[in-house]
Amino acid sequence: MSDTFQEPLCSTCAARLQSVLDSLESDQLGGFETSKKCGSYKKGESIFEENDPPEGVFCMHSGKVKVFKTGDEGKPQIIRFAKPGTILGYRSMLSGEPYTVSATALDESIVCHIPKDTFVAALEKDTQFARRFMEMMSSDLDQAETQIVHLAQKPVRERLAEALLVLKKIYGTENGDTSPLDVTLTREELAGVVGTAVETLVRTLSDLKRERLIATDKKKIRILDTEGLIRVGNLQD
Amino acid sequence: MSDTFQEPLCSTCAARLQSVLDSLESDQLGGFETSKKCGSYKKGESIFEENDPPEGVFCMHSGKVKVFKTGDEGKPQIIRFAKPGTILGYRSMLSGEPYTVSATALDESIVCHIPKDTFVAALEKDTQFARRFMEMMSSDLDQAETQIVHLAQKPVRERLAEALLVLKKIYGTENGDTSPLDVTLTREELAGVVGTAVETLVRTLSDLKRERLIATDKKKIRILDTEGLIRVGNLQD
DNA sequence: CGAGCGATTGAAAAGACTCAACCACCGTGG
DNA sequence: CCACGGTGGTTGAGTCTTTTCAATCGCTCG
């Protein structure tokens, strides 16, 4: 974590308005502002890791982060992607148990750390905030359960199509609709999202390229035919 | 849902003490008691289903319930098992969205329904309760994420070993340690837990039998060698 | 320039699924 | 009481998917 950047303020933080912290009462907000510590993370830098002791939660101010869990054989499985406004590491804060997932920057990112006491106090004092927070947890859980079903029942090809669409939805594209996804992952990372071997991932990507659904340029991926991918992914919803 | 049974009281409910409702203040408890509606469900009966509109949460008083989500091809994936004290359907209550999972009795079960208003009021008034509730959600989420990694990275054999150990942990055995698991699932259900085809499940079960790790008698499954299953499942934790 | 990592491709092997047949048990109705 | 039909369980065979291992390629960085 490096230190040369402008420390953001919660009160004027655009990312906050995208997050579960949007409705925070101003008295709580002050507590956040004075107790938080923000850090800048370069691409590849770790924000927290499995088994680390939790001391609060992280709130993303800018950048992109992958949240993953390491399997028995050491292979990382990407559980979810975070963007500005996302709260990370809340589970361990609540349970007091060490982190069960790791978070690593995918890009230059600024991530703030809010001490447990501050956060818990806000949860206790601001009912509306607590409510929003629970809704966020619900939504994370719902997403995880959908992921379970897809991993159990869909073939790699469908999961890959879905993963690409998810990346588009979360991080968007650089310019127009068919311009490159505004995030770059290694093939290994993408394999870790889809839950497959790197070689299989590469082959399946090639298939999609051959079908003109996507195009690749270096590490950049462009989605040429969103509808087509939805069809491939069997995603009616 | 049939009606011939003794309606349980929250205040004297043994299951409650096993649940997130254990610390509930007595004033809230009264609200639960007067507003709840309990129902008895026979084996195979549905408690709620995907896309049903939520009107509160369910709390298990007795019995066994499977919670599952239906995949695109209509194949049910069992997400989790519930026992007395388990709260079901809380996600949709929070979000107001229709249920994203279904719950069905595996055995004669008594399940109470607590109206949304009552439950939400308790969450708002009783900070300790809200805290416990969030911890429960955390733990569900953690479990779901572990499941994701295992589905993505472990072969059927390992997942089956784990599933059997989970069933033992949740529902226990009928008598001694190597007596039959105190729950009966069809092969199809077990396949839906592990995330595989019925035929594969049957074959893998046979392998475990051949290795004397388990034994089967009709639908009953006995775990003969817990240590062995832990080894097969690659479960150091 | 050379080392090394990430990406790609090929070929073989393993794992899992599908299809099809058969068996075993159970409850029903004759 | 028994024949019948149906459901759930099991097994076999073949096929498809996915993984693994090996080799090659290309690029970047020191």
Side-chain angles (χ1 to χ4, degrees), chain A residues 75 80 91 145 153, chain B residues 75 80 91 145 153-154:
Chain A
K75 193 179 165 193
R80 128 171 46 94
R91 236 120 33 70
E145 289 175 351
Q153 301 189 5
Chain B
K75 195 179 164 194
R80 120 172 51 93
R91 236 119 34 72
E145 289 175 351
Q153 302 190 1
K154 282 165 169 272

Side-chain angles (χ1 to χ4, degrees), chain A residues 1-2 39-47 49 60 62-66 68 81 103-111 171 174 181-187 189 217-221:
Chain A
M1 196 202 318
S2 72
S40 173
Y41 300 82
K42 282 196 272 291
K43 182 172 184 157
E45 276 189 306
S46 171
I47 297 158
E49 298 199 359
M60 282 197 55
S62 63
K64 307 181 178 80
V65 165
K66 64 175 175 182
F68 61 97
F81 291 98
T104 298
L106 289 170
D107 250 348
E108 184 81 25
S109 301
I110 294 177
V111 184
Y171 294 128
E174 291 181 352
L181 291 178
D182 198 14
V183 60
T184 36
L185 300 175
T186 63
R187 300 292 131 124
E189 285 170 327
D217 170 30
K218 302 282 166 66
K219 287 183 182 319
K220 290 287 180 187
I221 297 178

